[in-house]
Amino acid sequence: MAAFVDRVVLHVSGGAGGHGCVSIKREKFKPLGGPDGGNGGDGGDVILRVDHQTTTLLSYHHTPHRHGENGEGGKGDMRGGRQGESLVLPVPEGTVVKTRDGRILADLVGEGTEYIAAAGGQGGLGNASLSSQKRKAPGFALLGIPGDEQDIVLELKTVADVALVGYPSAGKSSLIAALSAARPKIADYPFTTLVPNLGVVQAGDVRFTVADVPGLIPGASEGKGLGLEFLRHVERCAALVHVLDCGALESERNPISDLETIEAELDAYATDASFAGADGTVVPLNERPRLVALNKVDMPDGADMAEFVRPELEKRGYRVFEVSAMSRAGLKELSFAMADLVMQARTVVAETPAAVPVQVLRPRAVNEAGFEIRREERNLEPLFRVLGEKPVRWVKQTDFTNDEAVGYLADRLAKLGVEDRLFKVGAKPGDAVVIGTDDDGVVFDWEPTMAAGAELLAGPRGTDLRMEDISRPTREQKRQQQQDRRDAKSAARAELEAERKAGIWTESVNYKHQQRPSEDGE
């Protein structure tokens, strides 16, 4: 038997984009074919889609990690990589998507409603797309960008017009079975209902949905018993019906105390801001229209109990109905009263204009750089952090094993104005510069000589002369090098002379002259 799961934590990640291809066309009698590397394909998205055939989040409870398909890398002969397939995850209607800290991302209501939980990464450009009049045959391509990754919380909240609330074994399941064609589990022990049950009720020309949710006990708003599982499925309902047990045999319980307990839990529960009305206001559970159904009046002493508590309930402002799910007494009057509340709520929604947020389109300012530079400190050394959508994306697209690709990145950053801004904020050659955050940032030792114009530098394909250490020494450095050579020669002469005087240097001229007479036989 499949279990009912209405809250899961889902780990989603979009597919990574495919890398661009580096290729040069080689064909007979066409030695200068030019670059023909294709672009990489985009990664697939992870999409949540409402499906009426799906009633639970059980499958995501067992397999919470979901990943979009990666894009295929580009190929030669101008062949682009295949796009990654998007992963569509069916969810029940009424699913609310949140972050781990409770921020609401989407409220999925209506067949086919979609939400992109994790977007796929962008594919990298091949060297054919990077070629220009000045850079005719690039020896590099851009890398694909990884897809978005996040942890989201899925909460299923029943979509119904009226909710039946009450203590366990108050007869809610029997009541919804008598009012509609729903057939929930019914037994003579508490907490029989472990999952929400929905039933469609027809009262005259009005058709509405009634939800039978798990029973409530003291402390439910704090998570005791089935607590939050109960209250979560009440949030969408326009009206509530308190089902009070008039046939309970427990001496410490009575319908009045049961009602007060339920009302206290409704007061303590905080409704999500996503369930605001058409005017944008959130109606707490304890302020919504309510009816009272005194159930089990057909049982011994049930009618007497109902007659005893009815004046007190009406004094408190409740509309009271004496009903019996077994004999169906009073169900017609109760159903028409619920239909009146539903029609009133629908009329308010129809007459009140929806609070649509105004979309303000602000064009980018002329002097807006599109990035920012923050000055920080790390190990008592200055550090400059570059943040912005373009610089961070460009770093992810760069193959740092290819000098030409690094030079292309330097050209893009210089054209964007990053180098000029570093000068203005006080950066000096050799300072550490980080592009991105601590999680995915790349650290550079900043050298302002990395100027634009790599397409004008002649060199083998895939290299950049600016990456090589070919700096010419200054005049002062040349003078110092010459003086160092003179000092080294003087030190060498002094060392040899000291060895000669000490008799260690036996190959000296004087030593040979002294030995020559003995060699002649004198």
Side-chain angles (χ1 to χ4, degrees):
M1 178 180 177
F4 179 81
V5 176
D6 59 357
R7 187 182 188 278
V8 296
V9 177
L10 196 60
H11 313 277
V12 292
S13 57
H19 300 329
C21 176
V22 180
S23 176
I24 301 297
K25 188 175 182 63
R26 292 176 175 84
E27 190 174 343
K28 191 175 183 181
F29 306 120
K30 292 184 180 180
L32 301 178
D36 66 345
N39 302 333
D42 296 336
D45 303 332
V46 179
I47 303 175
L48 303 177
R49 179 182 297 168
V50 175
D51 183 12
H52 284 166
Q53 301 298 325
T54 305
T55 58
T56 179
L57 302 174
L58 179 62
S59 60
Y60 309 125
H61 174 72
H62 294 310
T63 54
H65 295 269
R66 300 301 176 100
H67 181 73
E69 185 180 9
N70 295 332
E72 189 179 26
K75 304 179 181 64
D77 199 17
M78 305 295 290
R79 292 177 295 170
R82 185 176 62 86
Q83 305 286 335
E85 291 289 338
S86 296
L87 178 63
V88 179
L89 304 178
V91 295
E93 184 177 11
T95 301
V96 179
V97 185
K98 299 181 180 181
T99 59
R100 278 187 175 272
D101 56 1
R103 183 169 56 90
I104 297 174
L105 301 176
D107 187 6
L108 304 179
V109 178
E111 177 71 16
T113 304
E114 293 183 351
Y115 170 72
I116 300 178
Q122 179 183 356
L125 298 179
N127 64 341
S129 299
L130 297 173
S131 62
S132 62
Q133 291 294 329
K134 296 182 179 180
R135 186 184 283 107
K136 296 184 180 296
F140 67 98
L142 299 185
L143 304 180
I145 299 177
D148 295 340
E149 184 175 353
Q150 65 173 338
D151 295 342
I152 57 177
V153 178
L154 302 183
E155 288 186 354
L156 177 58
K157 303 191 178 184
T158 305
V159 180
D161 298 306
V162 180
L164 303 181
V165 297
Y167 253 80
S169 299
K172 301 182 299 296
S173 299
S174 301
L175 194 59
I176 195 174
L179 289 171
S180 66
R183 292 296 175 262
K185 181 180 179 181
I186 300 174
D188 58 351
Y189 52 84
F191 294 110
T192 306
T193 302
L194 299 177
V195 301
N197 297 304
L198 294 179
V200 178
V201 180
Q202 186 75 34
D205 297 332
V206 182
R207 176 176 294 181
F208 56 94
T209 307
V210 179
D212 162 33
V213 291
L216 182 63
I217 62 174
S221 60
E222 301 174 358
K224 294 182 180 179
L226 297 177
L228 297 178
E229 284 73 6
F230 159 77
L231 294 171
R232 185 183 302 131
H233 294 277
V234 179
E235 289 181 307
R236 297 184 185 273
C237 299
L240 306 178
V241 175
H242 289 283
V243 181
L244 304 180
D245 187 0
C246 290
L249 301 178
E250 302 177 19
S251 59
E252 69 275 6
R253 281 183 49 198
N254 60 77
I256 300 296
S257 62
D258 290 354
L259 177 64
E260 292 175 349
T261 300
I262 296 173
E263 289 289 343
E265 298 303 324
L266 295 178
D267 292 341
Y269 185 76
T271 308
D272 271 349
S274 59
F275 305 108
D279 57 352
T281 60
V282 180
V283 180
L285 297 182
N286 59 337
E287 297 181 8
R288 300 184 186 183
R290 286 159 291 176
L291 302 175
V292 173
L294 300 176
N295 195 22
K296 303 182 182 179
V297 295
D298 58 326
M299 295 185 63
D301 299 330
D304 295 338
M305 176 64 75
E307 189 67 24
F308 177 75
V309 300
R310 183 186 185 101
E312 178 63 23
L313 296 175
E314 291 178 345
K315 182 179 178 181
R316 298 186 182 187
Y318 295 102
R319 293 179 60 187
V320 183
F321 298 86
E322 298 180 9
V323 299
S324 172
M326 185 66 66
S327 64
R328 298 181 180 270
L331 296 185
K332 184 176 181 180
E333 293 80 2
L334 177 62
S335 63
F336 275 89
M338 290 190 293
D340 291 339
L341 296 181
V342 172
M343 288 303 300
Q344 293 176 14
R346 292 176 181 176
T347 302
V348 172
V349 173
E351 293 178 352
T352 305
V356 180
V358 179
Q359 298 290 339
V360 180
L361 302 179
R362 294 185 174 89
R364 176 182 171 183
V366 177
N367 57 350
E368 183 179 350
F371 66 93
E372 63 173 334
I373 298 180
R374 300 177 183 174
R375 184 186 178 97
E376 303 175 2
E377 277 194 8
R378 180 178 296 177
N379 299 328
L380 301 180
E381 295 291 335
L383 182 142
F384 299 87
R385 187 179 302 277
V386 181
L387 297 175
E389 188 268 334
K390 285 186 178 180
V392 173
R393 186 179 75 245
W394 291 347
V395 166
K396 293 180 180 179
Q397 292 176 329
T398 302
D399 179 11
F400 287 95
T401 62
N402 188 303
D403 290 344
E404 190 176 356
V406 177
Y408 179 69
L409 173 63
D411 295 342
R412 301 174 86 179
L413 295 176
K415 186 176 181 180
L416 188 63
V418 174
E419 187 165 302
D420 294 338
R421 184 69 63 83
L422 286 172
F423 275 117
K424 292 181 180 179
V425 298
K428 298 178 180 179
D431 288 344
V433 176
V434 181
I435 299 181
T437 60
D438 292 333
D439 297 333
D440 56 356
V442 179
V443 183
F444 300 90
D445 289 333
W446 183 53
E447 293 295 338
T449 56
M450 298 294 295
E455 62 273 5
L456 304 178
L457 300 175
R461 186 178 296 113
T463 61
D464 193 318
L465 298 180
R466 295 174 297 174
M467 301 293 112
E468 301 178 5
D469 187 12
I470 57 174
S471 58
R472 298 177 59 183
T474 62
R475 182 173 299 179
E476 185 65 27
Q477 290 174 342
K478 290 181 179 180
R479 289 176 181 173
Q480 184 64 36
Q481 291 175 1
Q482 187 177 12
Q483 184 63 36
D484 292 343
R485 287 195 296 269
R486 290 175 181 174
D487 295 342
K489 289 181 180 179
S490 299
R493 292 193 188 100
E495 182 180 0
L496 292 175
E497 185 64 20
E499 292 179 353
R500 184 186 67 78
K501 291 181 178 181
I504 300 176
W505 190 21
T506 58
E507 298 297 327
S508 64
V509 178
N510 295 334
Y511 179 80
K512 292 181 179 180
H513 181 72
Q514 294 175 0
Q515 295 295 328
R516 187 174 299 167
S518 61
E519 293 176 355
D520 295 339
E522 295 179 358

